[in-house]
Amino acid sequence: MRKVDVLEFVSLDGVIQAPGGPGEDTSGGFAYGGWISPYSDALSATAVKKQMNLPFDLLLGRRTFDIWAQFWPQHSDMWPAVNTATKYVASNTMTSHAWQPSVFLNPGFLNEDIAEKITKIKQQEGPDLQVYGSANLVQTLLKHDLVDAFWLKIFPVTLGGGKRLFADGTIPAAFKVTESTVTSKGVIIVNYERAGVPTGSL
């Protein structure tokens, strides 16, 4: 069974919107695009490269797919695998695109919703599914308990507003740390795997 791994750059107050650049995603009036740039160092670059070199397919929301489709086909030397990976795209409207291979998860004649389609993809043979950005899609994945792991890079900055990692889709769930380190710039790189449900007592 394929796993769904959610990879995010996240601020201390949980924001994942537009980490890469000023024009990446200004929806909602977000004005802090590119907020991860002051925190780069060799350790964070090594961690990112390690994740990029794993076998994977992509599971993306339409907005993130749009952003990536404008960039990665022209920068294949930086990450060749992103162009050859199958890109599963959650969209109510988009049905095709020049950036291939891509599969669009629209409501079909069977009236399956996105969660049902992703559940079936997880049951297929193939590499694990990596999710980047895609804030709205992540809420759907959380709501339907489809996330197997979070691979997070937590930055020492608060942004006050923007799309958040844990929002309307969050359910009670327990996770265990499988890998962690702290960079010279104070970024916490940590991987969490699903580990049942929360337990406790008074």
Side-chain angles (χ1 to χ4, degrees), residues 85-152:
T86 298
K87 292 156 278 286
Y88 296 94
V89 186
S91 172
N92 290 322
T93 56
M94 187 178 291
T95 58
S96 63
H97 197 278
W99 192 27
Q100 294 293 322
S102 297
V103 177
F104 293 89
L105 308 180
N106 310 101
F109 69 94
L110 296 176
N111 292 318
E112 293 178 317
D113 63 22
I114 295 298
E116 290 174 318
K117 290 177 181 288
I118 293 170
T119 298
K120 288 186 176 182
I121 293 168
K122 288 187 67 176
Q123 293 168 349
Q124 298 170 358
E125 293 293 326
D128 289 344
L129 302 163
Q130 292 188 354
V131 184
Y132 291 82
S134 308
N136 292 335
L137 173 60
V138 169
Q139 302 316 308
T140 299
L141 297 173
L142 288 169
K143 180 180 179 180
H144 294 276
D145 200 10
L146 291 172
V147 176
D148 297 288
F150 286 100
W151 297 352
L152 305 181

